Amino acid sequence: MDWKKLADTLFPEGHAIIEQNEFLCGSAQVDGQPVAVIGTTNHTPIGVEIALAQAQAILRTVRDYPGMPILMVIDTQGQRLRHRDEMLGINSYMAHLGKCVDLARRKGHKIIGVVYDQALSGGFITSGLMADACYALPDAAIRVMGLPAMARITKVPEELLTELAQSNPVFAPGPENYLRMGGLESIWHGDLAAHLRAALAQQSDGDRRSALGLQRGGRRLAQPVIDAVVSGGHVQR
C-alpha cells in the first residue's frame, strides 16, 4: 500500500507527515490527540542515514513531546547490504535506534508498529519488533530471509525448507506465521483507523510475544524456557 493512502486511511482527522529520501516523519491526530509518526517507504533498506534519522526523530519526540504515542510505519527490505555501511558499523547504528525506542518506552511513550508493505530482517527487528505491539496489514510481506537465500546460507536444500515451512512458522514468510509466533499482536482487516484507536487505548502489560507464541502454537518453547530461567527450574517438554 502507498504510504499516503495508508496515512489518509489511518488518520481521517488529518496528518502532517512528510517523506524525504524514503524516510517518513511527522505527526497526526487520533481522536483529537497528537501522535508522532516515524517510518520508511519504497522498500528502502535501513542504512546509517535512515537509522540515524529515525533515532533522531524518536529522541526529538521524547524531548519535545513527553508521553506522546509513537507510531512506526514499516516498509523496508532490511538493513542495507553495502560495504560502506558495514565499514561504518551499521550494526551499531541499528543498535542505537533500538536503544532510542527503548528509551522512549521507559519515558512513558506508547510505541506501536504497523507493517503496511514489507518488513525484512534487521530493518524489522529495530522497528516493529521493538514496539510495545506490532500489527500488520493482510497483504504485508514479513520474513527474516527468503527460502532460496536461507538455503544458500544454511546449505539445507530449498525443497526441505519449503516442506518445513508448511508446518513450522519459523521458516515460513507472511503475517499469519508471525501472528502464530507472537511477533504480531494481530492483523488489521477493515477499518484501519478503528484498529489504530483500539491499539492506542490498549494497556501495555510487558512483552507478550513469547506467551502469545505459546498460546497460538507457533513457538512452543520460548515461554517455558523463560519461565524456567526465572524460576530456576526445568523446561517441561
Side-chain angles (χ1 to χ4, degrees):
M1 178 184 286
D2 176 75
W3 77 263
K4 294 179 181 178
K5 181 179 179 181
L6 173 76
D8 290 341
T9 305
L10 283 174
F11 310 115
E13 298 174 51
H15 65 85
I17 304 170
I18 60 172
E19 174 190 349
Q20 185 174 14
N21 298 325
E22 281 77 49
F23 170 58
L24 304 175
C25 187
S27 62
Q29 294 288 319
V30 178
D31 283 345
Q33 300 299 316
V35 175
V37 183
I38 298 165
T40 50
T41 189
N42 294 330
H43 307 341
T44 190
I46 306 300
V48 297
E49 295 86 1
I50 285 186
L52 282 178
Q54 291 185 98
Q56 182 182 44
I58 291 169
L59 293 178
R60 185 169 57 245
T61 302
V62 172
R63 182 193 65 195
D64 297 340
Y65 305 100
M68 180 185 289
I70 298 173
L71 175 66
M72 304 185 78
V73 290
I74 302 154
D75 175 21
T76 176
Q77 59 182 274
Q79 69 270 28
R80 183 190 289 158
L81 302 177
R82 288 185 184 174
H83 181 70
R84 168 184 175 273
D85 290 84
E86 294 293 336
M87 293 300 294
L88 287 172
I90 181 63
N91 59 310
S92 296
Y93 287 83
M94 298 186 80
H96 172 63
L97 172 57
K99 291 176 182 178
C100 291
V101 175
D102 187 55
L103 172 69
R105 176 173 25 254
R106 292 170 185 268
K107 292 290 186 178
H109 295 260
K110 188 175 186 63
I111 303 168
I112 295 173
V114 176
V115 181
Y116 70 97
D117 199 311
Q118 182 171 275
L120 274 66
S121 62
F124 183 38
I125 292 171
T126 52
S127 54
L129 292 183
M130 282 295 297
D132 296 325
C134 187
Y135 305 86
L137 303 193
D139 295 331
I142 307 176
R143 63 180 183 271
V144 174
M145 185 182 292
L147 294 183
M150 192 181 297
R152 290 195 299 271
I153 296 298
T154 63
K155 308 305 180 185
V156 175
E158 184 179 344
E159 295 77 13
L160 177 56
L161 292 176
T162 301
E163 181 182 344
L164 289 170
Q166 302 304 312
S167 59
N168 192 327
V170 173
F171 292 92
E176 294 82 6
N177 289 296
Y178 276 79
L179 182 71
R180 285 182 61 199
M181 291 189 290
L184 295 178
E185 187 79 13
S186 66
I187 298 173
W188 286 357
H189 297 268
D191 190 337
L192 300 185
H195 283 300
L196 178 58
R197 289 195 299 271
L200 289 170
Q202 181 174 323
Q203 294 297 314
S204 177
D205 54 358
D207 189 345
R208 303 186 330 124
R209 289 173 296 179
S210 296
L212 287 175
L214 177 62
Q215 175 186 326
R216 296 167 179 170
R219 294 180 71 198
R220 296 185 175 90
L221 289 178
Q223 189 60 49
V225 168
I226 292 171
D227 294 339
V229 170
V230 172
S231 66
H234 301 282
V235 178
Q236 299 296 320
R237 297 296 294 268

